[in-house]
């Protein structure tokens, strides 16, 4: 333990400074932040080191798909061109196509509710293909190039299937499959 010197106003009458020994109660708070800081860093760091449980949500939001492939494994999906990271894009004629090993399945289950992570996983495992036809209010299940699972509910169809507008809006949820 290190003695703590008092301030100049605490000098004794003979001019020598007052030495105040530190007590265990004084040193404990000094050492507590140091010992609790690493545990906070460890707590914050642990989730990054361990994989997310299967079915945990990576991203949710509105997703515009068009002719440029989007990577669905990046958190918020981003356009990546025809790079190896791309997962899905749309074609004229109201089709969606998987890229880089991505497979897509049209949800054929109950229409009163959206499929869960497990239902989408089962659907793409059983019926996943590279292309699917888009239908009004259709729901797609997707296994991405990294193996994650996405549910895409079509909210706005880009064209009547004749025109060249292949921009389509989806309500999307992407789940971690690890």
């Amino acid at each position: 333990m290190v003695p703590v010197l008092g301030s100049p106003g605490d000098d004794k009458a003979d001019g020598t400074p007052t030495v105040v020994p530190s007590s265990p109660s004084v040193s404990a708070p000094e050492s507590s932040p140091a010992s609790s800081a690493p545990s906070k860093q460890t707590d914050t760091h642990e989730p990054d080191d361990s994989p997310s449980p299967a079915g945990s949500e990576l991203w949710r939001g509105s997703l515009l798909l068009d002719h440029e492939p989007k990577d669905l494994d990046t958190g918020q999906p981003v356009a990546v061109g025809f790079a190896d990271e791309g997962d899905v894009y749309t074609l004229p004629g109201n089709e969606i196509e998987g890229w880089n090993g991505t497979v897509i399945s049209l949800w054929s289950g109950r229409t009163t509710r959206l499929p869960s992570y497990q239902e989408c996983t089962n659907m793409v495992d059983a019926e996943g293909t590279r292309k699917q036809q888009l239908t009004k209010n259709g729901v797609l299940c997707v296994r991405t190039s990294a193996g994650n699972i996405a549910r895409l509910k079509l909210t706005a169809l880009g064209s009547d299937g004749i025109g060249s507008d292949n921009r389509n809006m989806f309500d999307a949820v992407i789940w971690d499959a690890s």
Side-chain angles (χ1 to χ4, degrees):
M1 299 205 185
V2 177
V4 178
L5 296 177
S7 67
D10 290 340
D11 291 348
K12 292 183 189 174
D14 65 359
T16 59
T18 304
V19 175
V20 180
S22 60
S23 67
S25 64
V26 172
S27 64
E30 290 174 13
S31 62
S32 291
S35 65
S36 66
S39 69
K40 285 181 185 177
Q41 290 173 348
T42 303
D43 292 345
T44 304
H45 189 61
E46 283 178 21
D48 295 339
D49 289 344
S50 61
S52 299
S56 63
E57 201 171 282
L58 293 175
W59 184 81
R60 175 185 295 262
S62 293
L63 175 64
L64 173 67
L65 289 180
D66 57 15
H67 67 280
E68 185 175 7
K70 296 245 172 46
D71 186 356
L72 303 181
D73 297 311
T74 59
Q76 182 172 353
V78 295
V80 292
F82 288 89
D84 289 339
E85 296 84 24
D87 288 305
V88 291
Y89 59 98
T90 57
L91 299 166
N94 296 330
E95 285 186 306
I96 185 169
E97 186 167 15
W99 180 258
N100 195 28
T102 298
V103 292
I104 306 161
S105 181
L106 182 62
W107 173 246
S108 60
R110 290 188 238 158
T111 57
T112 56
R113 66 174 180 76
L114 294 171
S116 67
Y117 161 77
Q118 192 59 55
E119 290 169 323
C120 268
T121 300
N122 295 343
M123 179 65 76
V124 295
D125 286 347
E127 301 177 18
T129 62
R130 188 167 170 203
K131 283 185 186 178
Q132 286 292 329
Q133 188 68 41
L134 295 175
T135 59
K136 186 176 180 181
N137 298 318
V139 177
L140 302 166
C141 293
V142 177
R143 180 175 303 280
T144 69
S145 59
N148 293 319
I149 299 296
R151 180 184 67 213
L152 307 177
K153 181 182 185 307
L154 186 65
T155 57
L157 195 57
S159 74
D160 58 8
I162 300 168
S164 62
D165 185 3
N166 58 337
R167 293 175 295 165
N168 298 279
M169 286 297 296
F170 296 86
D171 280 337
V173 179
I174 303 168
W175 293 289
D176 188 349
S178 45

